[in-house]
Amino acid sequence: DLWGLISPRFEEKTLLQPKEFKEWIEQNPGHDVYYIDPFLDVSVSYKNLWVQGEQWHPGIINFLLLTIGEDATNNMVYHPDDFVTCNFFVGNRKFWMGYFNFVDHIIGLAETDDTLRYYMFQHQVQYNGQAITYFSFIIERLLSLYFYHYRDVSKKKFPIEHDCFKRKYGDLHPQLVNIYKSRL
């Protein structure tokens, strides 16, 4: 019993038909969560998504440090399979219950501090022509953080060798795959 909410930008970002993603999931039964990370270049260029996020959303590293005491700049190095830059995932009840509890915990921590609450729910930046809060940018990084902390989750990442990545990255694709695999 798997379910997920997939962004309307799934095809645009992944260059993959949702039907193909669903078929891949069906061909790989037995995992708690299935996901695709369309930005292979991010997982080979950064040690974690918080360091990457700091470039685009200044202060996001401090948010992580102040909420859960994690120093993303020094100590946190993600396994390449922990990178999930978009909310393109489908999971079972075990996964969703654990993940929702984790997200609720982070939100609860942010709600107990005026600075964190402002940063997460009120501070706005321009994104795709509209002002939005950092909430989305924080939430989209939490799945990777969840994977980093909860190794007992059985996860399956869509194969980086797939043609959708070849279409997206062209001649650079083999090099990115090699770098990715060297970090495993």
Side-chain angles (χ1 to χ4, degrees):
D1 298 335
L2 302 170
W3 61 277
L5 298 173
I6 303 296
S7 163
R9 297 182 67 193
F10 180 86
E11 290 178 60
E12 170 194 342
K13 289 186 174 185
T14 64
L15 303 182
L16 183 72
Q17 296 292 313
K19 181 182 177 186
E20 289 181 81
F21 187 58
K22 182 178 185 254
E23 290 170 352
W24 170 76
I25 291 169
E26 290 169 344
Q27 294 166 2
N28 293 280
H31 298 280
D32 297 323
V33 62
Y34 301 83
Y35 58 101
I36 182 170
D37 179 10
F39 297 108
L40 179 58
D41 56 312
V42 172
S43 61
V44 302
S45 301
Y46 296 93
K47 64 196 298 184
N48 63 58
L49 285 178
W50 301 91
V51 170
Q52 180 270 346
E54 187 69 21
Q55 177 180 356
W56 306 104
H57 319 297
I60 203 165
I61 286 178
N62 284 338
F63 176 87
L64 183 68
L65 182 63
L66 292 172
T67 52
I68 62 172
E70 294 277 357
D71 182 359
T73 57
N74 294 321
N75 303 326
M76 186 183 295
V77 179
Y78 284 178
H79 185 280
D81 285 349
D82 289 342
F83 280 82
V84 188
T85 56
C86 296
N87 291 322
F88 302 150
F89 52 94
V90 175
N92 64 18
R93 181 176 176 80
K94 174 190 169 192
F95 162 74
W96 284 110
M97 295 305 292
Y99 180 60
F100 282 159
N101 285 335
F102 180 74
V103 171
D104 284 347
H105 176 69
I106 299 296
I107 291 172
L109 292 171
E111 289 175 336
T112 63
D113 179 274
D114 290 341
T115 302
L116 294 175
R117 186 173 39 256
Y118 171 81
Y119 185 81
M120 188 168 191
F121 299 111
Q122 296 168 331
H123 179 71
Q124 294 185 345
V125 294
Q126 289 294 314
Y127 183 76
N128 288 338
Q130 62 185 358
I132 64 171
T133 67
Y134 271 28
F135 180 82
S136 299
F137 305 118
I138 292 167
I139 294 298
E140 74 183 354
R141 285 170 174 74
L142 291 184
L143 182 59
S144 292
L145 187 62
Y146 181 72
F147 287 163
Y148 178 77
H149 283 283
Y150 296 92
R151 295 291 181 198
D152 62 329
V153 174
S154 174
K155 61 188 181 188
K156 183 78 172 167
K157 189 172 189 175
F158 194 81
I160 61 170
E161 298 86 0
H162 191 273
D163 286 343
C164 67
F165 291 104
K166 291 176 185 174
R167 289 190 298 273
K168 185 171 192 152
Y169 291 104
D171 294 340
L172 187 58
H173 181 252
Q175 181 181 356
L176 292 172
V177 169
N178 286 339
I179 295 169
Y180 186 98
K181 290 185 174 186
S182 73
R183 296 184 66 196
L184 293 177

